[in-house]
Amino acid sequence: MELETKISGFILAGGRSRRMGTDKAMLPIENQSLLKRMISRIEPFCESVAISGQNPDYLIYKLEMISDVFSDCGPISGLYSVLNYTSTEWNLVVSVDVPFVNEELIRYLLINATEYDCVIPQHDSGVEPLVGLYNRRILPVLDEMIKAGNFKLMNLLAKVHTRYLNCNNLIQDYPRLFFNINRPGDYQSV
């Protein structure tokens, strides 16, 4: 059963891209930027899509841009900021640098949202907290963690009611599903 409520989509693109040396979101892949590619991937599932980040280059996409409420905290600040901004209970949050996220994975997340706080992919190589569904009700936990200097998303997932979805079968069909572009060598291999 697919999630029956409207969801908002957020693309985390506010990182400094230190390892890449340039803004990853604007790197081209298959004739479009990573950011445009992710917008087109999540738009069909979301009532609205916004960008967590403030690069003026993103204005070309005519989407709302959300600044981090807390600075220098990493992705947890982006997550807090988008959940603080959103008006929907459920929110699809995806990092801009996982270009092979696909419709099958998003549908799989949506049909498993029910009574959980977060729905997160998991596979033999690990957990993917930057590709998931997050319920707005976790905001107080995020706030408490950030104020305590605890910025690890895995710690957040341990504190709330998280559904870990086994994605090993999806990875068999799509081996690069969670491939992450962090360094120039990652990008060149695409």
Side-chain angles (χ1 to χ4, degrees), residues 99-137:
F100 302 109
V101 162
N102 63 25
E103 181 180 306
E104 253 182 271
L105 173 63
I106 294 169
R107 284 191 193 287
Y108 188 41
L109 292 169
L110 292 173
I111 63 173
N112 284 284
T114 60
E115 75 278 1
Y116 296 91
D117 295 326
C118 306
V119 181
I120 305 297
Q122 182 177 33
H123 48 87
D124 287 343
S125 297
V127 175
E128 303 290 342
L130 295 179
V131 179
L133 278 176
Y134 288 88
N135 195 293
R136 194 171 189 278
R137 68 178 158 257

Short mmCIF file of all heavy atoms in Angstrom, two decimals, residues 99-137:
data_model
loop_
_atom_site.label_atom_id
_atom_site.label_comp_id
_atom_site.label_asym_id
_atom_site.label_seq_id
_atom_site.Cartn_x
_atom_site.Cartn_y
_atom_site.Cartn_z
N PRO A 99 23.36 9.78 -7.82
CA PRO A 99 22.64 9.99 -9.08
C PRO A 99 21.84 8.81 -9.61
O PRO A 99 21.05 8.97 -10.54
CB PRO A 99 23.76 10.35 -10.07
CG PRO A 99 24.97 9.71 -9.51
CD PRO A 99 24.81 9.79 -8.01
N PHE A 100 22.01 7.63 -9.02
CA PHE A 100 21.32 6.47 -9.56
C PHE A 100 20.12 6.02 -8.72
O PHE A 100 19.56 4.95 -8.95
CB PHE A 100 22.31 5.32 -9.78
CG PHE A 100 23.43 5.72 -10.70
CD1 PHE A 100 24.71 5.91 -10.22
CD2 PHE A 100 23.19 5.97 -12.04
CE1 PHE A 100 25.74 6.31 -11.06
CE2 PHE A 100 24.21 6.37 -12.90
CZ PHE A 100 25.49 6.55 -12.39
N VAL A 101 19.73 6.85 -7.77
CA VAL A 101 18.47 6.62 -7.05
C VAL A 101 17.38 6.54 -8.12
O VAL A 101 17.37 7.34 -9.06
CB VAL A 101 18.20 7.79 -6.07
CG1 VAL A 101 16.75 7.82 -5.64
CG2 VAL A 101 19.12 7.67 -4.86
N ASN A 102 16.47 5.58 -7.98
CA ASN A 102 15.47 5.42 -9.04
C ASN A 102 14.05 5.29 -8.49
O ASN A 102 13.82 5.25 -7.28
CB ASN A 102 15.84 4.22 -9.92
CG ASN A 102 15.83 2.90 -9.16
OD1 ASN A 102 15.17 2.74 -8.15
ND2 ASN A 102 16.59 1.93 -9.67
N GLU A 103 13.11 5.22 -9.41
CA GLU A 103 11.69 5.15 -9.10
C GLU A 103 11.36 3.93 -8.24
O GLU A 103 10.56 4.01 -7.31
CB GLU A 103 10.91 5.10 -10.41
CG GLU A 103 9.43 5.04 -10.26
CD GLU A 103 8.72 5.00 -11.61
OE1 GLU A 103 8.98 5.91 -12.44
OE2 GLU A 103 7.94 4.06 -11.82
N GLU A 104 11.98 2.80 -8.52
CA GLU A 104 11.70 1.59 -7.75
C GLU A 104 12.05 1.76 -6.28
O GLU A 104 11.29 1.37 -5.39
CB GLU A 104 12.50 0.41 -8.32
CG GLU A 104 11.64 -0.58 -9.06
CD GLU A 104 12.47 -1.74 -9.57
OE1 GLU A 104 12.98 -1.64 -10.69
OE2 GLU A 104 12.56 -2.74 -8.83
N LEU A 105 13.20 2.36 -6.01
CA LEU A 105 13.61 2.59 -4.64
C LEU A 105 12.65 3.55 -3.95
O LEU A 105 12.22 3.30 -2.82
CB LEU A 105 15.03 3.16 -4.59
CG LEU A 105 15.50 3.61 -3.19
CD1 LEU A 105 15.56 2.44 -2.22
CD2 LEU A 105 16.85 4.31 -3.29
N ILE A 106 12.27 4.62 -4.61
CA ILE A 106 11.37 5.60 -4.00
C ILE A 106 10.02 4.96 -3.69
O ILE A 106 9.47 5.13 -2.60
CB ILE A 106 11.22 6.84 -4.90
CG1 ILE A 106 12.58 7.57 -4.99
CG2 ILE A 106 10.14 7.78 -4.36
CD1 ILE A 106 12.64 8.66 -6.04
N ARG A 107 9.49 4.19 -4.61
CA ARG A 107 8.22 3.49 -4.35
C ARG A 107 8.34 2.54 -3.15
O ARG A 107 7.45 2.44 -2.34
CB ARG A 107 7.77 2.71 -5.58
CG ARG A 107 7.20 3.56 -6.66
CD ARG A 107 6.53 2.72 -7.75
NE ARG A 107 6.26 3.53 -8.91
CZ ARG A 107 5.32 4.46 -9.00
NH1 ARG A 107 4.55 4.70 -7.98
NH2 ARG A 107 5.16 5.14 -10.10
N TYR A 108 9.46 1.85 -3.08
CA TYR A 108 9.71 0.91 -1.98
C TYR A 108 9.72 1.65 -0.64
O TYR A 108 9.15 1.17 0.34
CB TYR A 108 11.04 0.20 -2.25
CG TYR A 108 11.39 -0.94 -1.32
CD1 TYR A 108 10.44 -1.87 -0.90
CD2 TYR A 108 12.70 -1.11 -0.88
CE1 TYR A 108 10.78 -2.92 -0.06
CE2 TYR A 108 13.05 -2.16 -0.05
CZ TYR A 108 12.09 -3.06 0.36
OH TYR A 108 12.43 -4.10 1.19
N LEU A 109 10.33 2.81 -0.60
CA LEU A 109 10.31 3.63 0.63
C LEU A 109 8.87 4.02 0.97
O LEU A 109 8.44 3.90 2.13
CB LEU A 109 11.16 4.88 0.45
CG LEU A 109 12.67 4.69 0.32
CD1 LEU A 109 13.33 5.99 -0.12
CD2 LEU A 109 13.28 4.20 1.62
N LEU A 110 8.15 4.50 -0.01
CA LEU A 110 6.79 5.02 0.23
C LEU A 110 5.82 3.95 0.75
O LEU A 110 5.01 4.23 1.63
CB LEU A 110 6.23 5.65 -1.04
CG LEU A 110 6.92 6.93 -1.50
CD1 LEU A 110 6.38 7.36 -2.86
CD2 LEU A 110 6.76 8.03 -0.49
N ILE A 111 5.92 2.75 0.22
CA ILE A 111 4.96 1.72 0.65
C ILE A 111 5.27 1.19 2.04
O ILE A 111 4.48 0.45 2.61
CB ILE A 111 4.85 0.56 -0.36
CG1 ILE A 111 6.17 -0.19 -0.49
CG2 ILE A 111 4.33 1.03 -1.68
CD1 ILE A 111 6.09 -1.44 -1.35
N ASN A 112 6.39 1.58 2.61
CA ASN A 112 6.78 1.09 3.93
C ASN A 112 6.77 2.16 5.02
O ASN A 112 7.35 1.98 6.09
CB ASN A 112 8.17 0.44 3.85
CG ASN A 112 8.09 -0.92 3.22
OD1 ASN A 112 7.67 -1.88 3.84
ND2 ASN A 112 8.47 -0.99 1.94
N ALA A 113 6.12 3.27 4.78
CA ALA A 113 6.18 4.40 5.71
C ALA A 113 5.30 4.23 6.95
O ALA A 113 5.67 4.68 8.02
CB ALA A 113 5.82 5.69 4.99
N THR A 114 4.18 3.69 6.86
CA THR A 114 3.17 3.49 7.91
C THR A 114 3.46 4.15 9.27
O THR A 114 3.42 5.36 9.38
CB THR A 114 2.87 1.99 8.08
OG1 THR A 114 4.06 1.30 8.44
CG2 THR A 114 2.30 1.41 6.81
N GLU A 115 3.75 3.38 10.31
CA GLU A 115 3.82 3.92 11.68
C GLU A 115 5.22 4.33 12.12
O GLU A 115 5.45 4.63 13.27
CB GLU A 115 3.24 2.91 12.68
CG GLU A 115 4.13 1.73 12.99
CD GLU A 115 4.07 0.59 11.98
OE1 GLU A 115 3.35 0.69 10.98
OE2 GLU A 115 4.78 -0.42 12.20
N TYR A 116 6.16 4.37 11.22
CA TYR A 116 7.54 4.67 11.59
C TYR A 116 7.82 6.17 11.60
O TYR A 116 7.04 6.96 11.09
CB TYR A 116 8.51 3.96 10.62
CG TYR A 116 8.40 2.47 10.73
CD1 TYR A 116 7.53 1.76 9.93
CD2 TYR A 116 9.13 1.78 11.68
CE1 TYR A 116 7.40 0.37 10.05
CE2 TYR A 116 9.02 0.41 11.82
CZ TYR A 116 8.15 -0.29 11.00
OH TYR A 116 8.04 -1.64 11.13
N ASP A 117 8.98 6.54 12.16
CA ASP A 117 9.45 7.92 12.12
C ASP A 117 10.34 8.15 10.91
O ASP A 117 10.39 9.25 10.37
CB ASP A 117 10.27 8.26 13.38
CG ASP A 117 9.43 8.21 14.65
OD1 ASP A 117 8.24 8.56 14.61
OD2 ASP A 117 9.97 7.82 15.70
N CYS A 118 11.07 7.12 10.52
CA CYS A 118 11.99 7.20 9.39
C CYS A 118 11.95 5.86 8.65
O CYS A 118 11.80 4.82 9.28
CB CYS A 118 13.43 7.44 9.85
SG CYS A 118 13.67 8.85 10.91
N VAL A 119 12.11 5.92 7.34
CA VAL A 119 12.21 4.71 6.53
C VAL A 119 13.50 4.85 5.72
O VAL A 119 13.64 5.75 4.90
CB VAL A 119 10.99 4.55 5.60
CG1 VAL A 119 11.12 3.27 4.78
CG2 VAL A 119 9.69 4.55 6.40
N ILE A 120 14.45 3.95 5.99
CA ILE A 120 15.81 4.11 5.50
C ILE A 120 16.30 2.83 4.81
O ILE A 120 16.16 1.73 5.36
CB ILE A 120 16.76 4.43 6.69
CG1 ILE A 120 16.27 5.65 7.47
CG2 ILE A 120 18.20 4.59 6.22
CD1 ILE A 120 16.25 6.94 6.70
N PRO A 121 16.90 2.96 3.63
CA PRO A 121 17.46 1.79 2.95
C PRO A 121 18.66 1.21 3.71
O PRO A 121 19.47 1.94 4.27
CB PRO A 121 17.92 2.33 1.60
CG PRO A 121 17.25 3.65 1.44
CD PRO A 121 17.04 4.16 2.82
N GLN A 122 18.74 -0.12 3.66
CA GLN A 122 19.87 -0.83 4.26
C GLN A 122 20.24 -1.97 3.31
O GLN A 122 19.37 -2.55 2.65
CB GLN A 122 19.47 -1.39 5.62
CG GLN A 122 20.57 -2.12 6.34
CD GLN A 122 20.12 -2.58 7.74
OE1 GLN A 122 18.96 -2.90 7.95
NE2 GLN A 122 21.03 -2.60 8.67
N HIS A 123 21.53 -2.28 3.25
CA HIS A 123 21.99 -3.38 2.40
C HIS A 123 23.27 -3.95 3.01
O HIS A 123 23.73 -3.47 4.05
CB HIS A 123 22.21 -2.90 0.96
CG HIS A 123 23.01 -1.64 0.86
ND1 HIS A 123 24.38 -1.63 0.80
CD2 HIS A 123 22.62 -0.34 0.83
CE1 HIS A 123 24.80 -0.39 0.72
NE2 HIS A 123 23.76 0.43 0.75
N ASP A 124 23.81 -4.95 2.39
CA ASP A 124 24.97 -5.64 2.95
C ASP A 124 26.16 -4.71 3.20
O ASP A 124 26.97 -4.96 4.09
CB ASP A 124 25.42 -6.79 2.04
CG ASP A 124 24.45 -7.97 2.10
OD1 ASP A 124 23.63 -8.04 3.05
OD2 ASP A 124 24.50 -8.82 1.19
N SER A 125 26.26 -3.63 2.45
CA SER A 125 27.39 -2.70 2.62
C SER A 125 27.10 -1.57 3.61
O SER A 125 27.98 -0.77 3.88
CB SER A 125 27.79 -2.10 1.28
OG SER A 125 28.23 -3.13 0.42
N GLY A 126 25.86 -1.48 4.11
CA GLY A 126 25.59 -0.45 5.11
C GLY A 126 24.19 0.12 5.06
O GLY A 126 23.28 -0.45 4.48
N VAL A 127 24.05 1.28 5.68
CA VAL A 127 22.78 1.99 5.80
C VAL A 127 22.90 3.29 5.01
O VAL A 127 23.98 3.89 4.95
CB VAL A 127 22.48 2.27 7.29
CG1 VAL A 127 21.23 3.11 7.47
CG2 VAL A 127 22.35 0.95 8.05
N GLU A 128 21.81 3.75 4.43
CA GLU A 128 21.81 4.95 3.58
C GLU A 128 20.91 6.04 4.16
O GLU A 128 19.81 6.30 3.66
CB GLU A 128 21.34 4.58 2.16
CG GLU A 128 22.14 3.51 1.48
CD GLU A 128 23.55 3.96 1.10
OE1 GLU A 128 23.81 5.18 1.05
OE2 GLU A 128 24.40 3.07 0.85
N PRO A 129 21.35 6.74 5.21
CA PRO A 129 20.48 7.74 5.83
C PRO A 129 20.23 8.98 4.98
O PRO A 129 19.31 9.74 5.27
CB PRO A 129 21.24 8.12 7.11
CG PRO A 129 22.66 7.80 6.83
CD PRO A 129 22.64 6.63 5.89
N LEU A 130 20.99 9.17 3.90
CA LEU A 130 20.77 10.35 3.06
C LEU A 130 19.89 10.07 1.85
O LEU A 130 19.84 10.83 0.89
CB LEU A 130 22.12 10.94 2.62
CG LEU A 130 22.96 11.51 3.77
CD1 LEU A 130 24.28 12.05 3.27
CD2 LEU A 130 22.19 12.58 4.53
N VAL A 131 19.18 8.95 1.92
CA VAL A 131 18.15 8.61 0.93
C VAL A 131 17.02 7.99 1.74
O VAL A 131 17.04 6.80 2.00
CB VAL A 131 18.67 7.58 -0.10
CG1 VAL A 131 17.56 7.23 -1.09
CG2 VAL A 131 19.90 8.07 -0.81
N GLY A 132 16.08 8.79 2.19
CA GLY A 132 15.06 8.20 3.04
C GLY A 132 13.83 9.07 3.22
O GLY A 132 13.77 10.22 2.77
N LEU A 133 12.88 8.49 3.91
CA LEU A 133 11.66 9.19 4.29
C LEU A 133 11.77 9.56 5.76
O LEU A 133 12.09 8.71 6.60
CB LEU A 133 10.44 8.29 4.11
CG LEU A 133 9.85 8.18 2.72
CD1 LEU A 133 8.71 7.15 2.74
CD2 LEU A 133 9.34 9.51 2.22
N TYR A 134 11.48 10.81 6.06
CA TYR A 134 11.57 11.32 7.43
C TYR A 134 10.25 11.98 7.81
O TYR A 134 9.73 12.81 7.07
CB TYR A 134 12.70 12.33 7.57
CG TYR A 134 14.08 11.70 7.50
CD1 TYR A 134 14.72 11.51 6.28
CD2 TYR A 134 14.72 11.29 8.65
CE1 TYR A 134 15.98 10.92 6.22
CE2 TYR A 134 15.98 10.70 8.61
CZ TYR A 134 16.60 10.52 7.39
OH TYR A 134 17.84 9.94 7.35
N ASN A 135 9.74 11.60 8.98
CA ASN A 135 8.53 12.21 9.48
C ASN A 135 8.88 13.47 10.27
O ASN A 135 9.84 13.48 11.04
CB ASN A 135 7.77 11.21 10.37
CG ASN A 135 6.36 11.67 10.62
OD1 ASN A 135 6.13 12.68 11.29
ND2 ASN A 135 5.40 10.93 10.10
N ARG A 136 8.08 14.48 10.11
CA ARG A 136 8.33 15.78 10.75
C ARG A 136 8.36 15.68 12.28
O ARG A 136 8.97 16.50 12.95
CB ARG A 136 7.25 16.75 10.29
CG ARG A 136 7.55 18.19 10.60
CD ARG A 136 6.55 19.12 9.92
NE ARG A 136 6.98 20.49 10.05
CZ ARG A 136 6.79 21.23 11.13
NH1 ARG A 136 6.16 20.72 12.16
NH2 ARG A 136 7.22 22.47 11.18
N ARG A 137 7.72 14.67 12.84
CA ARG A 137 7.64 14.56 14.30
C ARG A 137 9.00 14.32 14.98
O ARG A 137 9.10 14.41 16.19
CB ARG A 137 6.63 13.49 14.72
CG ARG A 137 7.02 12.07 14.41
CD ARG A 137 5.99 11.06 14.91
NE ARG A 137 6.11 9.82 14.17
CZ ARG A 137 5.30 9.45 13.20
NH1 ARG A 137 4.28 10.21 12.84
NH2 ARG A 137 5.48 8.30 12.59
#
